[in-house]
Amino acid sequence: MWNLEKAILVTNNDKVYTKYKGELQCIFVEKYEDVLIKVRDLVYDRHILLTHPQASSLKPNQTPYRSVMVYPKEKEDNMKDILLIEKCLETFRQWQEIAKTPENYQSKISEDFKTIDLSVIDNIIPRIY
């Protein structure tokens, strides 16, 4: 269905990056918002979303980690992906105005959030082959 070697994984989660950097193209950025911005740039540069930018039941101000996969598009229209990533960025910023994501979670909590984010990617990888 998809050629995994063409997929790009954008993440700020070192667990995700470490696990998948040998299998596919990975771009590591520093912050959650940076993930969304990089994904937006890729979507505008003729990529489609393979994963939802707000996957999981966590609000954008609860978790500091996000990983999103994109894929180069052929001729298909990606307007829905453009609208979706723009809406996700808007939602992220609105949530930050309500309550900013804590800067320094306890190590155990931070690891839990990384594991949740990794599990989302782990569950999608077999489905895109």
Side-chain angles (χ1 to χ4, degrees), residues 58-122:
L58 297 170
K59 293 180 183 84
N61 66 341
Q62 290 176 317
T63 179
Y65 303 103
R66 178 60 62 212
S67 299
V68 180
M69 291 185 69
V70 298
Y71 196 83
K73 71 178 189 136
E74 298 296 321
K75 295 178 180 152
E76 67 269 16
D77 178 30
N78 73 336
M79 185 53 72
K80 68 177 179 57
D81 290 338
I82 290 171
L83 295 173
L84 177 60
I85 191 62
E86 289 290 355
K87 183 64 177 173
C88 290
L89 256 167
E90 178 184 332
T91 301
F92 171 82
R93 290 173 177 154
Q94 287 173 342
W95 276 104
Q96 293 302 304
E97 289 177 14
I98 294 167
K100 286 198 175 288
T101 306
E103 296 261 339
N104 295 312
Y105 278 111
Q106 294 175 6
S107 180
K108 171 78 172 106
I109 294 170
S110 183
E111 288 301 310
D112 287 347
F113 282 131
K114 288 179 182 183
T115 300
I116 292 167
D117 182 54
L118 176 60
S119 72
V120 172
I121 297 301
D122 282 345

Side-chain angles (χ1 to χ4, degrees), residues 40-55:
R40 180 203 57 201
D41 293 348
L42 289 166
V43 169
Y44 275 102
D45 190 30
R46 306 187 51 77
H47 288 75
I48 57 172
L49 295 168
L50 288 182
T51 61
H52 195 288
Q54 291 177 324

